[in-house]
Amino acid sequence: MLYLVGLGLSDETDITVKGLEIVKRASRVYLEAYTSILLVDQSVLESYYGRSISIADREMVESNSDEILRDADKEDVAFCVVGDPFGATTHTDLVLRARELGIRVGTVPNASIMSGIGAAGLQLYNFGQTVSMVFFLDNWRPASFYDRIKENRQIGLHTLVLLDIKVKEQSLENMARGRKIYEPPRYMTVGTCASQMLEVEEEKKEGVYGPDSLAIGAARVGGKTEKFVAGTLKELCDADELLGGPLHSLVLLGRRTHELEHDYVREFAVNKENWDRIWKADYEGKH
């Protein structure tokens, strides 16, 4: 059987008991390593799991899935995913390929950013569509996230924004020349995300959000150094030092923010007086 095993959000101890049992007995263990990262090195995982782990990069998963699925109809293969296998990133292509080959598939769920973000103090029922933010380039500034945020905002819901990571990426020049040379890893910060969001609003001018819109920056959710910083989008543009290292996420608050949510999140505010003032105006429908 092919097992998709969720590893949780932080370190080697976040794996479930069921997941660990599968990893220990599997013939081969893969770690999907391009859509997210754990906060510990591969060697720490291998020591804790008592198993060697093969890194499954984007190229392997998308172009060489047959290697992952090899003999999975006769033995157990563990495909480990940071967070939950069907959380923020789905691996339906791999499951469909397994089905075509007559391979049974099992899933071991775990915490993902989709559920872990509740630690920021917002009610998960009040979230709308989740969107992704990629690094802007000089000639490529995708803004498909904007319309989804607009839909969420129209009905007063929060928006979780997942931030881009670049792991084992090639430059356009190296890709064109077929050179297997990879760029250093890059992890988008809340400051970059907030700045890019404001750039797009400045271009579109539809008033979906603005510099004074309330948001929460989240870092290393589920980890020992988990950190939240709340403020306006303008304030969060300069909050990277407060948040620290990766991974970062951002939540744009909806206008239906409940009083209990406000009271909880207020403790994370950069400027509590400013936070209270803007939230009160939003809550009363005046902002």
Side-chain angles (χ1 to χ4, degrees):
M1 181 178 282
L2 171 69
Y3 285 98
L4 275 62
V5 179
L7 298 185
L9 289 168
S10 179
D11 59 34
E12 74 279 10
T13 65
D14 283 346
I15 191 170
T16 63
V17 173
K18 182 187 293 185
L20 185 58
E21 289 176 348
I22 290 169
V23 166
K24 284 182 175 295
R25 73 167 186 259
S27 298
R28 300 190 308 281
V29 181
Y30 294 94
L31 174 62
E32 187 265 81
Y34 62 92
T35 58
S36 190
I37 59 166
L38 283 180
L39 303 180
V40 293
D41 293 332
Q42 178 184 346
S43 60
V44 176
L45 294 182
E46 291 180 325
S47 176
Y48 188 79
Y49 299 162
R51 295 299 310 278
S52 62
I53 298 173
S54 298
I55 296 297
D57 59 17
R58 185 188 300 273
E59 184 178 352
M60 172 179 276
V61 177
E62 294 181 352
S63 305
N64 195 22
S65 61
D66 286 349
E67 170 57 25
I68 297 171
L69 298 173
R70 175 172 50 84
D71 296 330
D73 56 336
K74 299 186 285 289
E75 55 194 33
D76 289 340
V77 175
F79 182 77
C80 300
V81 181
V82 176
D84 183 89
F86 295 107
T89 301
T90 62
H91 291 283
T92 51
D93 286 350
L94 187 61
V95 173
L96 291 173
R97 179 64 181 144
R99 286 180 183 173
E100 289 175 3
L101 297 172
I103 296 168
R104 293 185 303 146
V105 178
T107 305
V108 182
N110 209 322
S112 77
I113 189 61
M114 307 285 280
S115 57
I117 196 63
L122 301 178
Q123 297 171 10
L124 295 180
Y125 285 169
N126 288 338
F127 278 78
Q129 303 168 88
T130 297
V131 301
S132 297
M133 177 69 70
V134 301
F135 283 110
F136 284 177
L137 304 175
D138 291 340
N139 58 349
W140 190 62
R141 300 158 62 85
S144 57
F145 67 87
Y146 187 83
D147 289 335
R148 291 191 177 188
I149 291 178
K150 182 178 181 179
E151 291 171 358
N152 290 344
R153 298 280 283 178
Q154 285 173 340
I155 51 178
L157 298 177
H158 311 311
T159 302
L160 172 61
V161 186
L162 304 179
L163 277 52
D164 200 6
I165 71 170
K166 299 290 187 186
V167 178
K168 205 175 180 182
E169 297 277 340
Q170 292 175 280
S171 68
L172 293 176
E173 180 183 353
N174 286 328
M175 191 181 301
R177 295 176 180 272
R179 296 186 299 215
K180 297 289 185 180
I181 301 173
Y182 301 100
E183 301 293 295
R186 296 171 63 207
Y187 306 101
M188 183 181 287
T189 65
V190 161
T192 297
C193 177
S195 297
Q196 290 187 177
M197 288 176 66
L198 291 175
E199 286 178 29
V200 171
E201 177 58 60
E202 184 64 26
E203 293 169 4
K204 291 186 173 288
K205 300 185 185 303
E206 295 181 26
V208 172
Y209 52 78
D212 283 341
S213 295
L214 297 180
I216 305 170
R220 301 170 303 285
V221 172
K224 295 173 183 175
T225 61
E226 176 181 84
K227 178 76 173 179
F228 298 105
V229 174
T232 64
L233 280 178
K234 184 177 180 181
E235 287 171 338
L236 291 186
C237 286
D238 301 314
D240 287 349
E241 190 172 336
L242 291 173
L243 285 164
L247 292 171
H248 287 193
S249 303
L250 183 144
V251 180
L252 186 66
L253 267 65
R255 289 189 173 87
R256 280 164 50 179
T257 304
H258 192 274
E259 289 179 74
L260 290 176
E261 293 178 295
H262 165 263
D263 292 345
Y264 194 110
V265 177
R266 186 180 186 275
E267 290 304 306
F268 307 134
V270 176
N271 183 326
K272 289 182 172 59
E273 290 183 4
N274 197 42
W275 177 271
D276 289 342
R277 177 184 62 80
I278 296 174
W279 178 82
K280 189 172 186 294
D282 278 348
Y283 194 72
E284 293 175 351
K286 299 177 181 178
H287 186 69

